[in-house]
Amino acid sequence: MQLRTIYLIFSVIALVLGFSRYYYQQGLSQGQLDCAQGKAESAQSQLSQFVSASQQLAINANRASKNLSVKIAAQTAADQHSTQEIRYVLKTVTRNRCEFPPDVMHQLEQARLRANQAATSGIGSELSPSASTGE
């Protein structure tokens, strides 16, 4: 009878250990799965933020490109206007090519100042009022 009792006790212990090992492995697997899902969700969230930031950068770059195109067009128009003014003024010089009327010299000086401003401040700066009016 004692042998039976010992056998029964060992059987119960073996069952308890077997079930506890099984449930331990199940819990460990579930924990690892939960951790992997959390990492995947975190990576997905970071990727979504990266995509949103990239889209905003593309929008900003497009906006800057349009602004630059407008400024380049304005600078080109001002340059063409100044060139036409200078050509017109130089056509009106006196017969003596060594003398220019005072207003011609003033207009040439203004054109030089505008060109200097455009060269030193770049395309992004605003033109002076005299550049657009030709005064």
Coordinates of all heavy atoms in Angstrom, one line a residue, residues 40-113:
A40 N 6.0 46.1 -32.9 CA 5.5 46.4 -34.2 C 4.6 47.6 -34.2 O 4.7 48.4 -35.2 CB 4.7 45.1 -34.7
E41 N 3.8 47.8 -33.2 CA 2.9 49.0 -33.2 C 3.8 50.2 -33.0 O 3.5 51.3 -33.6 CB 1.9 48.8 -32.1 CG 0.8 47.8 -32.3 CD 0.0 47.6 -31.1 OE1 0.2 48.2 -30.1 OE2 -1.0 46.7 -31.2
S42 N 4.8 50.2 -32.2 CA 5.7 51.3 -32.0 C 6.4 51.6 -33.3 O 6.5 52.8 -33.7 CB 6.7 51.0 -31.0 OG 7.7 52.0 -30.8
A43 N 6.9 50.6 -34.0 CA 7.6 50.8 -35.3 C 6.6 51.4 -36.3 O 6.9 52.3 -37.1 CB 8.2 49.5 -35.9
Q44 N 5.4 50.9 -36.3 CA 4.4 51.5 -37.3 C 4.0 52.9 -36.9 O 3.9 53.8 -37.8 CB 3.1 50.6 -37.2 CG 2.0 51.1 -38.2 CD 0.8 50.2 -38.1 OE1 0.6 49.4 -37.2 NE2 -0.2 50.4 -39.0
S45 N 4.0 53.2 -35.7 CA 3.7 54.6 -35.3 C 4.9 55.5 -35.7 O 4.6 56.6 -36.2 CB 3.5 54.7 -33.7 OG 3.4 56.0 -33.3
Q46 N 6.1 55.1 -35.5 CA 7.2 55.9 -35.9 C 7.3 56.1 -37.4 O 7.6 57.1 -37.9 CB 8.5 55.2 -35.4 CG 8.7 55.3 -33.9 CD 10.0 54.6 -33.4 OE1 10.6 53.9 -34.2 NE2 10.3 54.8 -32.1
L47 N 7.0 55.0 -38.1 CA 6.9 55.1 -39.6 C 5.9 56.1 -40.1 O 6.1 56.9 -41.0 CB 6.7 53.7 -40.2 CG 6.7 53.6 -41.7 CD1 8.1 54.0 -42.2 CD2 6.4 52.2 -42.1
S48 N 4.7 56.1 -39.4 CA 3.6 57.0 -39.8 C 4.1 58.4 -39.5 O 3.8 59.3 -40.3 CB 2.4 56.7 -39.0 OG 1.9 55.4 -39.3
Q49 N 4.8 58.7 -38.4 CA 5.3 60.0 -38.1 C 6.3 60.4 -39.1 O 6.3 61.6 -39.6 CB 5.9 60.0 -36.7 CG 4.9 59.9 -35.6 CD 5.5 59.8 -34.2 OE1 6.7 59.7 -34.1 NE2 4.7 59.8 -33.2
F50 N 7.2 59.5 -39.5 CA 8.2 59.8 -40.5 C 7.5 60.2 -41.9 O 7.9 61.1 -42.5 CB 9.1 58.6 -40.7 CG 10.2 58.8 -41.8 CD1 11.2 59.6 -41.5 CD2 10.0 58.2 -43.0 CE1 12.2 59.8 -42.5 CE2 11.0 58.3 -44.0 CZ 12.1 59.2 -43.7
V51 N 6.5 59.4 -42.3 CA 5.8 59.7 -43.5 C 5.1 61.1 -43.4 O 5.2 61.9 -44.4 CB 4.8 58.6 -43.8 CG1 3.8 59.0 -44.9 CG2 5.5 57.3 -44.2
S52 N 4.5 61.4 -42.3 CA 3.9 62.7 -42.1 C 4.9 63.8 -42.2 O 4.6 64.8 -42.9 CB 3.1 62.8 -40.8 OG 2.1 61.8 -40.8
A53 N 6.0 63.6 -41.6 CA 7.1 64.7 -41.6 C 7.6 64.8 -43.0 O 7.9 65.9 -43.5 CB 8.2 64.3 -40.6
S54 N 7.8 63.7 -43.7 CA 8.3 63.8 -45.1 C 7.3 64.5 -46.0 O 7.7 65.3 -46.9 CB 8.5 62.4 -45.6 OG 9.5 61.7 -44.9
Q55 N 6.0 64.2 -45.8 CA 5.0 64.9 -46.6 C 5.0 66.4 -46.3 O 4.9 67.2 -47.3 CB 3.6 64.4 -46.3 CG 3.4 63.0 -46.9 CD 2.1 62.4 -46.5 OE1 1.5 62.8 -45.5 NE2 1.6 61.4 -47.2
Q56 N 5.2 66.8 -45.1 CA 5.2 68.2 -44.7 C 6.5 68.9 -45.3 O 6.4 70.0 -45.8 CB 5.2 68.4 -43.2 CG 5.1 69.9 -42.8 CD 3.8 70.5 -43.3 OE1 2.8 69.9 -43.2 NE2 3.9 71.7 -43.7
L57 N 7.6 68.2 -45.3 CA 8.8 68.7 -45.9 C 8.6 68.9 -47.4 O 9.1 69.9 -48.0 CB 10.0 67.8 -45.7 CG 10.6 67.8 -44.3 CD1 11.7 66.7 -44.1 CD2 11.2 69.2 -44.0
A58 N 7.9 67.9 -48.1 CA 7.7 68.1 -49.5 C 6.8 69.3 -49.8 O 7.0 70.0 -50.8 CB 7.0 66.8 -50.0
I59 N 5.8 69.5 -49.0 CA 4.9 70.6 -49.1 C 5.7 71.9 -48.9 O 5.6 72.9 -49.7 CB 3.7 70.6 -48.1 CG1 2.8 69.4 -48.5 CG2 3.0 71.9 -48.0 CD1 1.7 69.1 -47.4
N60 N 6.5 72.0 -47.9 CA 7.4 73.2 -47.7 C 8.3 73.4 -48.8 O 8.5 74.6 -49.2 CB 8.1 73.1 -46.4 CG 7.2 73.1 -45.2 OD1 6.1 73.5 -45.3 ND2 7.7 72.7 -44.0
A61 N 8.9 72.4 -49.4 CA 9.9 72.5 -50.5 C 9.1 73.0 -51.7 O 9.7 73.8 -52.5 CB 10.6 71.2 -50.8
N62 N 8.0 72.5 -52.0 CA 7.2 72.9 -53.1 C 6.8 74.4 -53.0 O 6.9 75.2 -53.9 CB 5.9 72.1 -53.2 CG 5.2 72.3 -54.5 OD1 5.7 72.8 -55.5 ND2 3.9 72.0 -54.6
R63 N 6.4 74.8 -51.8 CA 6.1 76.2 -51.5 C 7.3 77.1 -51.7 O 7.2 78.2 -52.3 CB 5.5 76.4 -50.1 CG 5.0 77.7 -49.8 CD 4.4 77.8 -48.4 NE 3.3 76.9 -48.2 CZ 3.2 76.0 -47.1 NH1 4.1 76.1 -46.2 NH2 2.2 75.2 -47.1
A64 N 8.5 76.7 -51.2 CA 9.7 77.5 -51.4 C 10.1 77.6 -52.8 O 10.5 78.6 -53.3 CB 10.8 76.8 -50.6
S65 N 9.9 76.5 -53.6 CA 10.2 76.5 -55.0 C 9.3 77.5 -55.8 O 9.8 78.2 -56.6 CB 10.0 75.1 -55.6 OG 10.3 75.1 -56.9
K66 N 8.0 77.5 -55.4 CA 7.1 78.4 -56.1 C 7.5 79.9 -55.7 O 7.5 80.7 -56.6 CB 5.7 78.2 -55.7 CG 5.1 76.9 -56.3 CD 3.7 76.7 -55.8 CE 3.1 75.4 -56.4 NZ 1.7 75.2 -56.0
N67 N 7.8 80.1 -54.5 CA 8.2 81.5 -54.1 C 9.5 81.9 -54.8 O 9.6 83.0 -55.3 CB 8.5 81.6 -52.6 CG 7.2 81.5 -51.8 OD1 6.1 81.8 -52.3 ND2 7.3 81.2 -50.5
L68 N 10.5 81.0 -54.9 CA 11.7 81.3 -55.6 C 11.4 81.6 -57.1 O 12.0 82.5 -57.7 CB 12.7 80.1 -55.5 CG 14.1 80.4 -56.0 CD1 14.7 81.6 -55.4 CD2 14.9 79.1 -55.8
S69 N 10.5 80.8 -57.7 CA 10.2 81.0 -59.1 C 9.6 82.4 -59.3 O 9.9 83.1 -60.3 CB 9.2 80.0 -59.6 OG 9.8 78.7 -59.6
V70 N 8.7 82.8 -58.4 CA 8.1 84.2 -58.5 C 9.2 85.2 -58.3 O 9.2 86.2 -59.1 CB 7.0 84.3 -57.4 CG1 6.6 85.7 -57.2 CG2 5.8 83.4 -57.7
K71 N 10.1 85.1 -57.4 CA 11.1 86.1 -57.2 C 12.1 86.1 -58.4 O 12.5 87.2 -58.8 CB 11.9 85.8 -55.9 CG 11.0 86.1 -54.7 CD 11.8 85.8 -53.4 CE 10.8 86.1 -52.2 NZ 11.5 86.0 -51.0
I72 N 12.4 85.0 -59.0 CA 13.3 85.0 -60.1 C 12.6 85.7 -61.3 O 13.2 86.4 -62.0 CB 13.7 83.5 -60.5 CG1 14.7 83.0 -59.5 CG2 14.3 83.5 -61.9 CD1 15.0 81.5 -59.7
A73 N 11.3 85.4 -61.5 CA 10.5 86.1 -62.5 C 10.5 87.6 -62.3 O 10.7 88.4 -63.3 CB 9.1 85.5 -62.6
A74 N 10.3 88.0 -61.1 CA 10.3 89.5 -60.8 C 11.7 90.1 -61.0 O 11.8 91.2 -61.6 CB 9.9 89.7 -59.3
Q75 N 12.7 89.4 -60.7 CA 14.1 89.9 -60.9 C 14.4 90.0 -62.4 O 14.9 90.9 -62.9 CB 15.1 89.0 -60.2 CG 16.5 89.4 -60.4 CD 16.8 90.7 -59.6 OE1 16.4 90.9 -58.5 NE2 17.5 91.6 -60.2
T76 N 13.9 89.0 -63.1 CA 14.2 89.0 -64.6 C 13.4 90.1 -65.2 O 13.9 90.8 -66.1 CB 13.7 87.6 -65.2 OG1 14.4 86.6 -64.6 CG2 13.9 87.6 -66.7
A77 N 12.2 90.3 -64.8 CA 11.4 91.5 -65.4 C 12.0 92.8 -65.0 O 12.1 93.7 -65.9 CB 10.0 91.4 -64.8
A78 N 12.5 92.9 -63.8 CA 13.2 94.2 -63.4 C 14.5 94.4 -64.2 O 14.8 95.5 -64.6 CB 13.5 94.2 -61.9
D79 N 15.2 93.3 -64.4 CA 16.4 93.4 -65.2 C 16.1 93.8 -66.7 O 16.8 94.6 -67.2 CB 17.2 92.0 -65.2 CG 17.8 91.7 -63.8 OD1 17.8 92.6 -63.0 OD2 18.2 90.5 -63.6
Q80 N 15.1 93.2 -67.2 CA 14.8 93.6 -68.6 C 14.3 95.0 -68.7 O 14.6 95.7 -69.6 CB 13.7 92.6 -69.1 CG 14.2 91.2 -69.4 CD 13.0 90.3 -69.8 OE1 11.9 90.6 -69.7 NE2 13.4 89.1 -70.2
H81 N 13.5 95.5 -67.7 CA 13.1 96.8 -67.7 C 14.3 97.8 -67.6 O 14.3 98.8 -68.3 CB 12.1 97.0 -66.5 CG 11.5 98.4 -66.5 ND1 10.6 98.9 -67.4 CD2 11.8 99.4 -65.6 CE1 10.3 100.1 -67.0 NE2 11.0 100.5 -66.0
S82 N 15.2 97.5 -66.7 CA 16.4 98.3 -66.5 C 17.2 98.4 -67.8 O 17.7 99.4 -68.2 CB 17.2 97.8 -65.4 OG 16.6 98.0 -64.2
T83 N 17.3 97.2 -68.4 CA 18.1 97.2 -69.7 C 17.5 98.0 -70.8 O 18.1 98.8 -71.5 CB 18.2 95.7 -70.2 OG1 18.9 95.0 -69.1 CG2 19.0 95.6 -71.4
Q84 N 16.1 97.9 -70.9 CA 15.4 98.7 -71.8 C 15.6 100.2 -71.5 O 15.8 101.0 -72.5 CB 13.9 98.4 -71.9 CG 13.7 97.0 -72.5 CD 14.1 96.9 -73.9 OE1 14.1 97.9 -74.7 NE2 14.6 95.7 -74.3
E85 N 15.5 100.6 -70.3 CA 15.7 102.0 -69.9 C 17.1 102.5 -70.3 O 17.2 103.6 -70.8 CB 15.5 102.2 -68.4 CG 14.1 102.2 -67.9 CD 14.0 102.4 -66.4 OE1 15.1 102.3 -65.7 OE2 12.9 102.5 -65.9
I86 N 18.1 101.7 -70.0 CA 19.5 102.1 -70.3 C 19.6 102.2 -71.8 O 20.3 103.2 -72.3 CB 20.5 101.1 -69.7 CG1 20.4 101.2 -68.2 CG2 21.9 101.3 -70.2 CD1 21.2 100.2 -67.4
R87 N 19.1 101.3 -72.6 CA 19.2 101.4 -74.0 C 18.5 102.6 -74.6 O 19.1 103.3 -75.4 CB 18.6 100.1 -74.7 CG 19.5 98.9 -74.5 CD 18.9 97.7 -75.2 NE 19.7 96.6 -75.1 CZ 19.3 95.3 -75.3 NH1 18.1 95.1 -75.7 NH2 20.1 94.3 -75.1
Y88 N 17.4 102.9 -74.0 CA 16.7 104.1 -74.5 C 17.4 105.4 -74.1 O 17.6 106.3 -75.0 CB 15.3 104.2 -73.8 CG 14.5 105.4 -74.2 CD1 14.0 105.6 -75.4 CD2 14.4 106.4 -73.2 CE1 13.3 106.8 -75.7 CE2 13.7 107.6 -73.5 CZ 13.1 107.8 -74.8 OH 12.5 108.9 -75.1
V89 N 17.9 105.4 -72.9 CA 18.7 106.6 -72.5 C 20.0 106.8 -73.3 O 20.3 107.9 -73.7 CB 19.0 106.5 -71.0 CG1 20.0 107.6 -70.6 CG2 17.7 106.7 -70.2
L90 N 20.6 105.7 -73.6 CA 21.9 105.8 -74.3 C 21.6 106.2 -75.8 O 22.5 106.8 -76.4 CB 22.7 104.5 -74.3 CG 23.3 104.1 -72.9 CD1 23.9 102.8 -72.9 CD2 24.3 105.2 -72.5
K91 N 20.4 105.9 -76.3 CA 20.1 106.3 -77.7 C 19.9 107.8 -77.7 O 20.0 108.4 -78.8 CB 18.8 105.6 -78.2 CG 19.1 104.2 -78.5 CD 17.8 103.6 -79.1 CE 17.9 102.1 -79.4 NZ 16.7 101.5 -79.8
T92 N 19.6 108.5 -76.6 CA 19.3 109.9 -76.6 C 20.5 110.7 -76.3 O 20.3 111.9 -76.0 CB 18.2 110.2 -75.6 OG1 18.7 109.8 -74.3 CG2 16.9 109.4 -75.9
V93 N 21.7 110.2 -76.3 CA 22.9 111.0 -76.0 C 23.1 112.0 -77.1 O 22.6 111.8 -78.3 CB 24.1 110.1 -75.8 CG1 23.9 109.2 -74.6 CG2 24.4 109.3 -77.1
T94 N 23.9 113.0 -76.8 CA 24.2 114.0 -77.8 C 25.1 113.5 -78.9 O 25.6 112.4 -78.8 CB 24.8 115.2 -77.1 OG1 26.0 114.8 -76.5 CG2 23.9 115.8 -76.1
R95 N 25.3 114.3 -79.9 CA 26.2 113.9 -81.0 C 27.6 113.6 -80.5 O 28.3 112.8 -81.0 CB 26.2 114.9 -82.1 CG 24.9 115.0 -82.8 CD 25.0 115.6 -84.1 NE 23.7 115.8 -84.7 CZ 23.2 114.9 -85.6 NH1 23.9 113.8 -85.9 NH2 22.0 115.1 -86.1
N96 N 28.0 114.4 -79.6 CA 29.4 114.2 -79.0 C 29.3 113.0 -78.0 O 28.7 113.1 -76.9 CB 29.8 115.5 -78.3 CG 31.2 115.3 -77.8 OD1 31.9 114.3 -77.9 ND2 31.8 116.4 -77.2
R97 N 29.8 111.9 -78.4 CA 29.6 110.7 -77.6 C 30.4 110.7 -76.3 O 30.2 109.8 -75.4 CB 30.2 109.5 -78.4 CG 29.4 109.2 -79.6 CD 28.2 108.4 -79.3 NE 27.4 108.1 -80.5 CZ 26.3 107.6 -80.5 NH1 25.7 107.2 -79.4 NH2 25.6 107.3 -81.7
C98 N 31.2 111.7 -76.0 CA 31.9 111.8 -74.8 C 31.1 112.5 -73.7 O 31.5 112.5 -72.5 CB 33.2 112.5 -75.0 SG 34.3 111.7 -76.1
E99 N 30.0 113.1 -74.0 CA 29.2 113.8 -73.1 C 27.8 113.2 -73.0 O 27.2 112.9 -74.0 CB 29.0 115.3 -73.5 CG 30.3 116.1 -73.4 CD 30.0 117.6 -73.8 OE1 28.8 118.0 -73.7 OE2 30.9 118.2 -74.2
F100 N 27.4 113.0 -71.8 CA 26.1 112.4 -71.5 C 25.3 113.5 -70.7 O 25.8 114.2 -69.9 CB 26.1 111.1 -70.7 CG 26.8 110.0 -71.5 CD1 28.1 109.6 -71.2 CD2 26.1 109.3 -72.4 CE1 28.7 108.6 -71.8 CE2 26.7 108.3 -73.1 CZ 28.0 107.9 -72.8
P101 N 24.0 113.6 -71.0 CA 23.2 114.5 -70.2 C 23.2 114.1 -68.7 O 23.3 112.9 -68.4 CB 21.8 114.3 -70.8 CG 22.0 113.7 -72.1 CD 23.2 112.9 -72.1
P102 N 23.0 115.0 -67.8 CA 23.0 114.7 -66.4 C 22.0 113.6 -66.0 O 22.3 112.8 -65.1 CB 22.7 116.0 -65.7 CG 23.0 117.0 -66.7 CD 22.8 116.4 -68.1
D103 N 20.8 113.6 -66.6 CA 19.8 112.6 -66.2 C 20.2 111.2 -66.6 O 19.9 110.2 -66.0 CB 18.4 113.0 -66.7 CG 18.4 113.0 -68.3 OD1 19.4 113.3 -68.9 OD2 17.3 112.7 -68.8
V104 N 21.0 111.1 -67.7 CA 21.5 109.8 -68.1 C 22.4 109.3 -67.1 O 22.4 108.1 -66.7 CB 22.1 109.9 -69.5 CG1 22.8 108.6 -69.9 CG2 21.1 110.3 -70.6
M105 N 23.3 110.1 -66.7 CA 24.3 109.7 -65.7 C 23.6 109.3 -64.4 O 24.0 108.3 -63.7 CB 25.4 110.7 -65.4 CG 26.2 111.1 -66.6 SD 26.9 109.6 -67.4 CE 28.1 109.1 -66.2
H106 N 22.6 110.0 -64.0 CA 21.8 109.7 -62.8 C 21.1 108.3 -62.9 O 21.1 107.5 -62.0 CB 20.8 110.8 -62.5 CG 19.9 110.5 -61.3 ND1 20.4 110.5 -60.0 CD2 18.6 110.2 -61.2 CE1 19.4 110.2 -59.2 NE2 18.3 110.0 -59.9
Q107 N 20.5 108.1 -64.1 CA 19.8 106.8 -64.3 C 20.8 105.7 -64.4 O 20.5 104.6 -63.9 CB 19.0 106.9 -65.6 CG 17.8 107.8 -65.5 CD 17.0 107.9 -66.8 OE1 17.4 107.3 -67.8 NE2 15.9 108.7 -66.8
L108 N 22.0 105.9 -65.0 CA 23.0 104.9 -65.0 C 23.5 104.5 -63.6 O 23.7 103.4 -63.2 CB 24.2 105.3 -65.9 CG 23.9 105.2 -67.4 CD1 25.1 105.8 -68.1 CD2 23.6 103.8 -67.8
E109 N 23.6 105.6 -62.7 CA 24.0 105.4 -61.3 C 23.0 104.6 -60.6 O 23.3 103.7 -59.8 CB 24.3 106.7 -60.7 CG 24.7 106.6 -59.2 CD 26.0 105.9 -59.0 OE1 26.8 105.7 -59.9 OE2 26.2 105.4 -57.8
Q110 N 21.7 104.9 -60.8 CA 20.6 104.2 -60.2 C 20.6 102.7 -60.6 O 20.4 101.8 -59.8 CB 19.3 104.9 -60.4 CG 19.1 106.2 -59.8 CD 19.1 106.1 -58.3 OE1 18.6 105.2 -57.7 NE2 19.8 107.1 -57.7
A111 N 20.8 102.5 -61.9 CA 20.9 101.1 -62.4 C 22.0 100.4 -61.7 O 21.9 99.2 -61.4 CB 21.0 101.1 -63.9
R112 N 23.2 101.0 -61.6 CA 24.3 100.4 -61.0 C 24.0 100.1 -59.5 O 24.3 99.0 -59.1 CB 25.5 101.3 -61.0 CG 26.8 100.7 -60.5 CD 27.9 101.7 -60.3 NE 27.7 102.6 -59.3 CZ 27.8 102.4 -58.0 NH1 28.1 101.2 -57.5 NH2 27.5 103.3 -57.1
L113 N 23.4 101.0 -58.8 CA 23.0 100.7 -57.4 C 22.1 99.5 -57.3 O 22.2 98.7 -56.4 CB 22.5 101.9 -56.7 CG 23.4 103.1 -56.5 CD1 22.7 104.3 -56.0 CD2 24.5 102.7 -55.6

